[in-house]
Amino acid sequence: MLISKKDLLAVTGISYGQLYRWKRERLIPEEWFMKQSSYTGQETFFPREQILSRIRSILDLKDHYTLEELAKMLSPEVAVSGYSEAEVKEITEIKEEIIDWIRENYHKDHYEYADIILLVAYTIFEKDYQISLEQRDFLLSNLLNRDTYFSMNGVALLLLSHRSEFFILMVKEQMPYSLDERLEVISKISLNNISNQLKLKYQTKFYS
Amino acid sequence: MRDYSIQGLGSISGGEFSRLTVEGMGNNHGNIMAEFLSIEGVFKSTGNVNAQVIECEGVADFFGNLRCKKLVMEGVLNLKGDSKLEADDIVGEGCINSKADINADRIKLHGCVNAKGIYGDQIEIESKEEGYSTIKKFLHKINLSEHGRASNIELIEATRIIITGVYAKEVNGHDIVIGPYCEVEKVDCTGTLRVHDTAKVGTIVGATPSA
């Protein structure tokens, strides 16, 4: 869902100056400024959920950090490129038992940042739904063996179900998609939101 | 980081500089990082330029993005293609010509600006002939467009906008002053709007008239 620039300023109470300063400082990605034709001419729209969450984060943090520090925290990139199993276990948003299970079943003890985001999202799915070990194997093996060139930026993870089976789909948040009507979308998680929350909570781990 | 000066004819291939000065005719092919870039002659640059302060007293053509804290204008700056200009402050007198967007916190420019969009916080553009030197009058005249104005901008969007002698298709802001000899097709104002008697304004949306 989109929000127009005018509505965005009205809802958040920020000024044009703040919006464009944050764009210039890379706190708001340029690709979120989407120009579309409207009956009054051309208007700029934003992905509603993402921009509102980003502006809330900036407003909460701008008095504690410089804009440069905030840009690092909120950008999809991280300075550190890999994490050991012990480091991942410090992230309380990931169920520890899942990490142990991955080591035992996939012999994996090294994680990329994208793995961490996906495991946080998967943990939320497991908390909310009864996913069997057999289903976990199917879902996690696909998530952890994804195409390495797949960017996590602007991606949402969908949990689908059909009868008692679960499926996971990664989609670009603003792109329309069409599903087999037997599949039901039972949960949707924005990976950008998870990334922002993790970076705010575990700053030194991800970009020091 | 080193200081480097082009005096006479010279060429560089990008690089990191503390002070980079161009006093004759300089060419650059590559990205530049500089604390201070001064252009007093003619400078043509391909590649992105990132500087703390840029002073442009001559004529500069940039075929890449320009990003700086402060841009001080005394000459003509041409941004070619879709090159963007991003700055905290743009001040001075002269002309900026761009086919893309300019994003700056504060712009206070006497002279002319041609751009697709100008976005920022405080934007003040004064395009008029009174008080200009002969050279500046000439620069002003050669930039006149089909609207008969030196400054032509599709969209200006900022918290506070003051314009004089500017043609703009659309002006959106909080507090807006449309000064003498402006022509604006559409104004969208969330605060107060002042329009000079000699200015022509088409549609006005959401404004509180101010004395």
Side-chain angles (χ1 to χ4, degrees):
Chain A
M1 214 160 110
L2 301 177
I3 183 169
S4 72
K5 182 160 55 195
K6 212 173 164 184
D7 289 345
L8 177 72
L9 299 188
V11 167
T12 58
I14 65 166
S15 67
Y16 282 111
Q18 284 174 300
L19 179 70
Y20 289 115
R21 189 177 306 132
W22 296 341
K23 181 189 183 189
R24 210 171 55 245
E25 298 295 337
R26 315 294 187 248
L27 291 173
I28 300 175
E30 199 162 338
E31 60 267 24
W32 287 5
F33 289 72
M34 296 182 282
K35 286 187 177 158
Q36 293 189 358
S37 295
S38 70
Y39 67 97
T40 51
Q42 211 180 43
E43 216 175 321
T44 303
F45 291 87
F46 300 86
R48 188 185 177 89
E49 199 185 313
Q50 286 165 281
I51 189 83
L52 289 176
S53 150
R54 178 61 57 95
I55 286 175
R56 269 196 300 272
S57 302
I58 297 169
L59 291 173
D60 287 347
L61 298 165
K62 72 181 173 59
D63 296 332
H64 307 287
Y65 302 96
T66 65
L67 291 182
E68 209 174 308
E69 286 169 332
L70 276 180
K72 279 186 190 168
M73 289 159 68
L74 299 173
S75 75
E77 290 82 29
V78 283
V80 182
S81 62
Y83 304 87
S84 67
E85 184 186 297
E87 285 174 305
V88 176
K89 278 189 172 176
E90 288 168 18
I91 297 165
T92 54
E93 285 76 5
I94 301 174
K95 218 189 212 178
E96 201 174 321
E97 181 252 319
I98 294 177
I99 310 289
D100 293 334
W101 188 89
I102 289 171
R103 187 186 0 92
E104 283 161 23
N105 289 277
Y106 305 145
H107 310 291
K108 183 178 172 73
D109 56 7
H110 184 86
Y111 293 83
E112 295 301 322
Y113 183 62
D115 295 328
I116 293 172
I117 299 175
L118 290 168
L119 288 176
V120 171
Y122 178 77
T123 301
I124 296 170
F125 289 154
E126 275 211 0
K127 275 184 190 157
D128 293 344
Y129 298 95
Q130 289 287 331
I131 298 175
S132 68
L133 285 180
E134 190 190 347
Q135 289 273 301
R136 176 193 276 182
D137 183 20
F138 178 74
L139 298 173
L140 278 184
S141 66
N142 279 299
L143 283 181
L144 297 173
N145 293 312
R146 70 197 175 276
D147 184 345
T148 51
Y149 296 105
F150 196 84
S151 165
M152 295 290 126
N153 194 20
V155 167
L157 209 61
L158 307 183
L159 185 65
L160 314 170
S161 78
H162 172 56
R163 292 185 182 150
S164 56
E165 272 196 274
F166 294 101
F167 307 88
I168 281 178
L169 184 65
M170 281 195 248
V171 293
K172 279 276 176 194
E173 291 196 70
Q174 298 314 313
M175 293 292 283
Y177 57 87
S178 172
L179 292 175
D180 184 317
E181 61 183 16
R182 290 168 298 176
L183 293 169
E184 186 192 354
V185 179
I186 54 172
S187 185
K188 180 180 178 183
I189 295 175
S190 160
L191 298 185
N192 273 20
N193 284 352
I194 288 185
S195 173
N196 291 348
Q197 286 159 10
L198 285 180
K199 282 193 190 174
L200 295 177
K201 188 171 172 186
Y202 304 97
Q203 289 165 33
T204 50
K205 192 186 287 292
F206 295 128
Y207 71 91
S208 64
Chain B
M1 283 196 292
R2 64 203 165 119
D3 290 349
Y4 193 81
S5 179
I6 297 174
Q7 292 180 329
L9 281 171
S11 187
I12 54 170
S13 305
E16 288 188 23
F17 305 91
S18 178
R19 288 176 72 88
L20 175 61
T21 53
V22 181
E23 292 185 7
M25 287 182 73
N27 275 297
N28 165 56
H29 302 282
N31 295 337
I32 291 175
M33 285 272 282
E35 280 169 17
F36 181 75
L37 168 62
S38 165
I39 300 155
E40 291 186 16
V42 179
F43 187 51
K44 193 171 171 179
S45 171
T46 51
N48 297 327
V49 175
N50 197 324
Q52 290 292 308
V53 179
I54 299 174
E55 278 183 10
C56 178
E57 294 183 13
V59 179
D61 289 349
F62 289 98
F63 292 79
N65 296 326
L66 197 57
R67 189 173 163 86
C68 61
K69 291 268 178 225
K70 187 168 187 176
L71 169 63
V72 183
M73 288 294 301
E74 292 277 340
V76 179
L77 192 147
N78 298 311
L79 291 145
K80 303 289 189 180
D82 55 2
S83 305
K84 280 180 285 189
L85 168 58
E86 294 177 311
D88 286 358
D89 287 284
I90 299 175
V91 293
E93 299 178 352
C95 283
I96 300 175
N97 297 307
S98 166
K99 288 188 171 61
D101 295 338
I102 299 170
N103 181 338
D105 250 2
R106 289 164 295 275
I107 297 177
K108 189 164 180 153
L109 198 74
H110 294 247
C112 57
V113 186
N114 291 288
K116 192 172 171 200
I118 300 183
Y119 305 93
D121 191 45
Q122 314 282 325
I123 292 175
E124 195 175 331
I125 300 165
E126 193 174 359
S127 295
K128 61 178 184 183
E129 289 189 61
E130 288 85 2
Y132 284 1
S133 67
T134 312
I135 291 175
K136 284 186 184 129
K137 276 185 184 172
F138 172 71
L139 289 173
H140 190 82
K141 279 199 167 75
I142 57 172
N143 272 283
L144 289 179
S145 76
E146 73 267 31
H147 295 287
R149 282 168 183 79
S151 292
N152 293 275
I153 302 145
E154 274 190 38
L155 172 63
I156 305 174
E157 212 161 61
T159 312
R160 185 168 157 268
I161 299 165
I162 302 175
I163 49 174
T164 301
V166 169
Y167 166 80
K169 205 167 173 185
E170 194 172 335
V171 173
N172 301 332
H174 185 65
D175 293 322
I176 302 173
V177 178
I178 310 285
Y181 309 109
C182 285
E183 187 182 343
V184 179
E185 291 185 24
K186 186 187 164 203
V187 176
D188 191 337
C189 176
T190 51
T192 57
L193 171 69
R194 235 164 54 202
V195 180
H196 193 268
D197 293 346
T198 57
K200 282 195 254 175
V201 176
T203 318
I204 296 175
V205 182
T208 310
S210 111

